[in-house]
Amino acid sequence: MELDEVVCFSRFSRVAICGGTHGNELSGVYLVREMQKAERKAKERGNDMEVITVLSNPRAVQRGLRYIDTDLNRCFTHAMLSGSNTNDAPYEIIRSRELNALLGPKGSRDAVDLVCDLHNTTANMGLCLISYSDSDWLCLHVFRHLQRQMPDVPTRFIHFNATNKESYSLDSVGKHGFALEAGPQPHGVMRSNIYTTMKMGVEHVLDWVCLFNSGFVFEGGSVDVYTVVRNIDYPRDRDTHNITAAVHPQLQDRDFCLLYPEDPLFLTLSGETLRYKGKEPLYPFFINECAYYEKGIAVSLARKRRVAIPAIRVQTEQEQQAKKDECTSEEEEE
Amino acid sequence: MLSCARRVAIFGGTHGNEMSGVMLVNLWVQNNTEVQRKGVEVQPFITNPKAVEKCTRYVDTDLNRAFTPENLSTLGGGDLPYEVRRAQEINRMFGPKGSPEAYDVIFDLHNTTSNMGCTLLLESSKDHFNLQMMNYIQKSIFPASCLVLLNEHPLLKYSTSRSVAKHPVGLEVGPQPQGVLRSNIFESMRDILKHALDFIELFNAGMEFPPCTVEVFRLSERIDYPRDDNGNIIAMVHPNLQDCDWEPLNPGDPMFQTFDGKTIHYQGSGTVYPTFINEAAYYEKQQAFATTRRESLVASAIRKA
């Protein structure tokens, strides 16, 4: 990639803001509700961009649960989206297909340009932008913008390397997408500081999109990316599978503080310290996330690296037309 | 006066997602060495196993509100909500509530998402045995602190699982998210129970506890979130109040913040001490926080009869 290369992307015409994908993660639930109230005054942002607000899992929201039958945010693989609805299909599978029809179809030209999915965590993670890619320049530029606009909020980019596995979350339905995760906040609770962070974050995302659509050239640079390497489960009882230790007090709340070999990981109920046995120092996060007990994750570990990002801007109308002509002639040749 | 505290129970999992109590009781059910004391039969017990299994507060209805006289006496068998059947069973095993056969002391272990630290829950200002125990615990853990919340309010008090015993003691430790186990919270609860059991052992051995003064926070009022006509919450606990359990709230102080950033102020007539600020389980009970007033109670001397 040349340093003076400017990468062009087509303009954003539709952006989706989704809350309540997990019904007890309240910042997104209330933020989407407030945005929907404001929408009734019918004030669109300029540049003919449509902002779609969605309450992803209304039944779970109503009951204050993460999910009714199964985790909605794992229901967006192509296989799960393409089956037919049977009588005993889990509620979330039916819902994922509805959301795919509304915001997708995933992988098609009709999908929304950007999905921003709002989440909370009980872990002390500040604000995180979570993505499957470390080379989606749009998402990385949005992240850099958030960092610069919110210097008082610790803001980080987490990359789930899904090259082997297919993407399964709601944000994968859009042409571009990411989750915006804010913590710490207990599930079922709304903390005003966390709500404010989320609200500001979403406003800055939408501001960035408008700026992008208006033709602004975003200079290149570099950002820090945390790429997930592995997860560590709690020690468990062989027979009951119940956990037998808690996250060590010296690790608790220390998300993104480098974990070195032999650092404490867990404290057993009988007072024994269990230590990190890896060879490489890694960055822990999602430390003691409530919802991950059942997924077998006490802490996730990531490598940090600096990623160079090119300058980007929106495609001009002429460039878009030229591209269309190119595609049409290719189709004719076929 | 209690002649001897011989039968003691430790309840965990009254709310299935309050993890300290679940873990402690499971540990002690497997190995009760830590909770054994001379002359006392200590029974650790999971009160709501179905809720614990699902890691949820309750299955049909809140067990810690279910021990009403109506519920305890009603017939209906399998048609009754799970927690009502459970309350009847617990009343048979550890009660009957109000009778001479009831357990002497029951400790009921809870967690809260509120920043309440360690709090002891007292149901009667005339329970001198409990007041002496709480005084002993406070002195033992000093300089760490443990406050006493008294709920004797005729309208706000409720029928707890521990109320089956002659001397019910609630133990509330926070902040901890539901479904999460934090090591420091777990160890704090464990430590308080250790001192509570030590007190019982000393009492049974004949030690006299002279009169003492115990400062308590008496529950006064429940304050709900501001809501719209449809019952939806329209403001959040103000950042100045969030996490400030037990700190004075004065008339005019910020209390709530609307979604567009406006402040709603406390309009009471005097200074109160708020607690249970932003407890997750109380959204559905229409409570953003509770107010309390400080009071000094005098506990009479006690000695085993």
Side-chain angles (χ1 to χ4, degrees):
Chain A
M1 178 178 60
E2 300 294 325
L3 280 173
D4 52 5
E5 174 192 341
V6 180
V7 181
C8 297
F9 294 90
S10 35
R11 61 185 310 284
F12 285 77
S13 56
R14 291 159 75 217
V15 173
I17 307 290
C18 304
T21 300
H22 295 133
N24 54 8
E25 294 176 17
L26 295 191
S27 304
V29 171
Y30 280 89
L31 186 54
V32 160
R33 277 205 189 131
E34 289 302 301
M35 288 176 76
Q36 288 176 342
K37 273 192 216 165
E39 265 164 32
R40 278 182 225 126
K41 297 169 188 173
K43 194 175 180 215
E44 304 283 348
R45 286 169 183 262
N47 296 318
D48 301 313
M49 182 186 70
E50 190 191 344
V51 178
I52 304 167
T53 51
V54 184
L55 201 62
S56 317
N57 195 339
R59 264 219 232 161
V61 168
Q62 198 206 33
R63 293 189 52 194
L65 299 170
R66 182 177 174 83
Y67 56 80
I68 303 293
D69 296 322
T70 188
D71 191 334
L72 177 62
N73 214 27
R74 302 290 183 275
C75 290
F76 292 90
T77 61
H78 281 292
M80 287 167 123
L81 291 173
S82 59
S84 56
N85 288 339
T86 57
N87 276 343
D88 54 358
Y91 168 71
E92 278 84 8
I93 293 281
I94 298 173
R95 188 66 189 139
S96 70
R97 291 164 186 172
E98 282 171 10
L99 289 165
N100 191 42
L102 177 70
L103 304 176
K106 174 171 170 172
S108 80
R109 245 188 292 184
D110 296 327
V112 298
D113 299 296
L114 178 65
V115 171
C116 177
D117 188 24
L118 308 181
H119 288 267
N120 291 118
T121 174
T122 57
N124 187 26
M125 286 166 65
L127 187 65
C128 287
L129 201 148
I130 304 181
S131 168
Y132 285 107
S133 167
D134 61 353
S135 56
D136 182 327
W137 310 130
L138 287 169
C139 292
L140 286 163
H141 270 272
V142 169
F143 166 67
R144 190 179 69 176
H145 181 75
L146 280 181
Q147 265 193 327
R148 286 174 170 176
Q149 298 302 314
M150 301 171 71
D152 295 333
V153 176
T155 306
R156 297 176 183 94
F157 190 98
I158 297 177
H159 164 227
F160 275 88
N161 194 351
T163 43
N164 305 327
K165 255 193 332 213
E166 194 201 331
S167 56
Y168 47 67
S169 55
L170 173 55
D171 53 278
S172 68
V173 170
K175 296 197 182 86
H176 304 273
F178 54 83
L180 209 52
E181 184 97 46
Q185 179 171 270
H187 298 313
V189 162
M190 231 210 330
R191 291 181 68 98
S192 47
N193 62 326
I194 299 290
Y195 177 83
T196 302
T197 296
M198 190 73 100
K199 180 175 177 192
M200 279 184 356
V202 168
E203 277 172 12
H204 289 305
V205 169
L206 294 175
D207 285 344
W208 185 91
V209 172
C210 286
L211 200 51
F212 173 83
N213 278 351
S214 74
F216 189 82
V217 178
F218 295 92
E219 60 183 16
S222 62
V223 291
D224 282 334
V225 166
Y226 291 86
T227 297
V228 183
V229 170
R230 51 181 280 229
N231 299 318
I232 299 184
D233 192 8
Y234 293 92
R236 291 176 187 270
D237 180 275
R238 224 169 308 169
D239 303 314
T240 62
H241 203 61
N242 289 333
I243 68 174
T244 54
V247 166
H248 198 280
Q250 282 172 41
L251 176 61
Q252 180 68 56
D253 299 334
R254 304 197 67 221
D255 299 72
F256 301 107
C257 297
L258 199 51
L259 182 73
Y260 291 93
E262 295 305 312
D263 275 353
L265 269 180
F266 300 108
L267 185 63
T268 69
L269 305 184
S270 50
E272 191 194 339
T273 295
L274 304 176
R275 297 176 183 279
Y276 170 52
K277 293 303 180 189
K279 299 273 173 17
E280 182 191 352
L282 292 172
Y283 290 87
F285 64 97
F286 277 131
I287 299 174
N288 210 349
E289 159 55 49
C290 170
Y292 287 178
Y293 281 51
E294 70 174 19
K295 297 196 201 299
I297 300 172
V299 53
S300 293
L301 295 173
R303 247 175 233 130
K304 181 168 80 160
R305 65 189 221 286
R306 200 107 192 123
V307 171
I309 58 176
I312 64 168
R313 66 166 169 80
V314 73
Q315 254 174 1
T316 61
E317 280 182 22
Q318 296 102 303
E319 285 164 338
Q320 258 192 323
Q321 192 55 53
K323 192 137 194 224
K324 263 200 204 133
D325 296 339
E326 201 182 297
C327 287
T328 323
S329 64
E330 274 174 14
E331 281 167 16
E332 279 167 3
E333 277 169 35
E334 286 163 19
Chain B
M1 184 62 236
L2 204 60
S3 59
C4 186
R6 201 151 10 91
R7 290 157 85 222
V8 172
I10 303 175
F11 284 176
T14 296
H15 296 133
N17 54 9
E18 294 176 13
M19 302 303 290
S20 306
V22 172
M23 294 296 285
L24 279 170
V25 166
N26 279 341
L27 175 70
W28 292 329
V29 162
Q30 265 188 5
N31 181 348
N32 66 5
T33 319
E34 197 179 327
V35 294
Q36 287 317 326
R37 296 291 189 280
K38 216 168 84 172
V40 202
E41 174 201 313
V42 178
Q43 191 179 353
F45 184 76
I46 295 283
T47 44
N48 198 339
K50 263 210 207 170
V52 168
E53 199 197 298
K54 293 172 141 194
C55 196
T56 187
R57 181 176 175 85
Y58 56 80
V59 174
D60 294 327
T61 186
D62 193 332
L63 181 62
N64 214 30
R65 304 289 184 277
F67 286 76
T68 60
E70 303 76 45
N71 278 351
L72 294 180
S73 58
T74 192
L75 303 166
D79 288 335
L80 293 173
Y82 171 73
E83 278 84 5
V84 173
R85 278 181 277 136
R86 201 62 197 147
Q88 291 181 349
E89 207 175 318
I90 290 167
N91 192 40
R92 273 192 293 274
M93 291 174 73
F94 298 96
K97 179 167 168 174
S99 77
E101 292 82 46
Y103 264 57
D104 299 308
V105 185
I106 294 180
F107 297 101
D108 191 19
L109 309 183
H110 289 270
N111 292 118
T112 173
T113 58
S114 306
N115 188 26
M116 287 165 71
C118 294
T119 303
L120 294 164
L121 307 176
L122 183 64
E123 298 192 1
S124 161
S125 56
K126 300 185 177 53
D127 190 335
H128 296 276
F129 178 82
N130 272 359
L131 280 166
Q132 287 281 2
M133 181 200 294
M134 293 178 181
N135 179 60
Y136 177 87
I137 292 170
Q138 288 180 325
K139 300 278 188 302
S140 304
I141 68 171
F142 182 87
S145 89
C146 187
L147 300 179
V148 178
L149 173 62
L150 167 65
N151 187 0
E152 216 175 25
H153 193 294
L155 300 172
L156 299 179
K157 60 191 292 189
Y158 47 85
S159 307
T160 58
S161 49
R162 58 187 177 270
S163 66
V164 160
K166 295 178 183 137
H167 299 279
V169 179
L171 186 43
E172 188 90 52
V173 185
Q176 181 172 270
Q178 296 169 342
V180 164
L181 181 72
R182 290 179 70 103
S183 179
N184 60 328
I185 300 288
F186 173 87
E187 295 296 341
S188 295
M189 192 180 272
R190 195 178 195 171
D191 195 42
I192 296 210
L193 270 164
K194 169 190 152 6
H195 294 297
L197 293 172
D198 288 346
F199 169 85
I200 291 175
E201 188 173 29
L202 289 170
F203 175 82
N204 284 345
M207 179 180 266
E208 170 155 1
F209 294 88
C212 64
T213 306
V214 184
E215 187 181 68
V216 306
F217 291 82
R218 183 187 283 273
L219 198 71
S220 175
E221 205 185 346
R222 234 191 242 154
I223 310 278
D224 190 14
Y225 292 95
R227 294 174 188 268
D228 64 17
D229 295 327
N230 296 323
N232 295 318
I233 288 173
I234 56 173
M236 313 168 275
V237 169
H238 196 278
N240 286 20
L241 179 58
Q242 179 68 54
D243 299 335
C244 293
D245 300 70
W246 309 119
E247 290 174 36
L249 180 69
N250 304 301
D253 282 350
M255 190 170 55
F256 295 110
Q257 184 180 73
T258 65
F259 292 112
D260 47 15
K262 286 204 264 299
T263 298
I264 298 173
H265 302 270
Y266 177 59
Q267 304 287 4
S269 53
T271 298
V272 291
Y273 295 84
T275 189
F276 278 120
I277 298 174
N278 210 348
E279 158 56 49
Y282 291 172
Y283 280 55
E284 72 174 16
K285 298 198 200 299
Q286 278 87 49
Q287 182 177 318
F289 64 97
T291 63
T292 69
R293 299 202 136 85
R294 278 166 85 161
E295 204 174 301
S296 277
L297 295 180
V298 175
S300 316
I302 62 165
R303 192 165 72 168
K304 167 185 152 184

